[in-house]
């Protein structure tokens, strides 16, 4: 059993319902939800949009390997109407965005997946909800707690 932390976001349609639907599907297909943050209303990051986001973080216990978790997350996104992922720094509005942030203390790199998520340290909309549910969790690369990473980000 592995503990995995995920980031969820939506800025189209009924954003809170989109997150709730994704959470229900994650629990059915990936693993038991052990923690869930509040929903955070945030501005778009990395692109211009009139649509604000709703973001959250969840912790789950799963038996699936990282690549299988990723495949199942992509299936959920696709079924909810997201047809393509952002790539090359080109972001766009989306009905749902599901990202693996941490998978136990694993450091993993493949052509399709990087764990820990390589941009999480730069994103308040990721760290703030994660700090709510796992403030003392130590990042396996930066060797700082999520609370410390959030404090560093908010100081800038």
């Amino acid at each position: 059993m592995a503990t995995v932390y995920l980031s969820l976001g939506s800025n189209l349609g009924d954003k809170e319902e989109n997150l709730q639907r994704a959470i229900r599907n994650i629990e059915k297909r990936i693993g038991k939800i052990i923690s869930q943050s509040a929903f955070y209303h945030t501005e778009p990051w990395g692109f211009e949009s009139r649509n604000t986001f709703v973001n959250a973080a969840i912790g789950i216990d799963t038996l699936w390997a990282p690549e299988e978790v990723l495949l199942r997350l992509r299936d959920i996104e696709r079924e909810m109407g997201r047809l393509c992922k952002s790539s090359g720094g080109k972001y766009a509005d989306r009905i749902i965005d599901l990202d693996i942030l941490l998978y136990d203390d694993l450091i993993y790199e493949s052509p399709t997946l990087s764990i820990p998520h390589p941009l999480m340290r730069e994103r308040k909309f990721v760290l703030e909800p994660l700090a709510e549910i796992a403030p003392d969790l130590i990042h396996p690369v930066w060797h700082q707690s999520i609370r410390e990473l959030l404090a560093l980000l908010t100081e800038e």
Side-chain angles (χ1 to χ4, degrees):
M1 187 76 64
T3 300
V4 181
Y5 289 93
L6 305 176
S7 176
L8 299 85
S10 175
N11 80 328
L12 293 175
D14 186 338
K15 301 168 218 180
E16 292 192 9
E17 175 53 32
N18 293 339
L19 294 189
Q20 292 288 6
R21 182 175 164 205
I23 290 166
R24 288 190 300 271
N25 279 306
I26 289 165
E27 185 143 57
K28 285 180 194 168
R29 298 179 189 187
I30 301 173
K32 179 175 174 42
I33 295 174
I34 57 170
S35 56
Q36 178 182 328
S37 75
F39 289 168
Y40 290 76
H41 295 263
T42 64
E43 294 298 318
W45 184 91
F47 74 107
E48 299 286 327
S49 176
R50 284 185 252 139
N51 302 312
T52 59
F53 275 83
V54 175
N55 294 98
I58 60 173
I60 59 173
D61 282 338
T62 188
L63 295 172
W64 299 109
E67 293 284 349
E68 184 63 28
V69 171
L70 178 66
L71 289 173
R72 289 168 180 261
L73 291 173
R74 296 297 164 260
D75 286 345
I76 293 167
E77 287 179 330
R78 204 170 19 264
E79 289 168 14
M80 290 183 67
R82 183 161 188 195
L83 303 178
C84 62
K85 287 293 280 184
S86 304
S87 65
K90 296 188 183 205
Y91 300 107
D93 292 325
R94 45 209 174 266
I95 193 164
I96 194 70
D97 186 26
L98 305 172
D99 289 319
I100 300 170
L101 300 175
L102 298 162
Y103 186 106
D104 282 338
D105 59 357
L106 182 69
I107 299 170
Y108 180 83
E109 190 75 35
S110 78
T112 56
L113 180 60
S114 295
I115 301 173
H117 191 289
L119 297 176
M120 66 185 280
R121 182 167 67 170
E122 302 171 26
R123 297 174 169 177
K124 183 177 180 185
F125 68 88
V126 168
L127 289 176
E128 196 167 34
L130 185 58
E132 179 187 331
I133 61 172
D136 299 320
L137 185 68
I138 302 298
H139 192 286
V141 173
W142 301 311
H143 308 290
Q144 293 171 296
S145 71
I146 300 305
R147 178 187 295 118
E148 291 169 327
L149 292 173
L150 178 59
L152 288 171
L153 184 61
T154 56
E155 285 175 4
E156 295 175 357

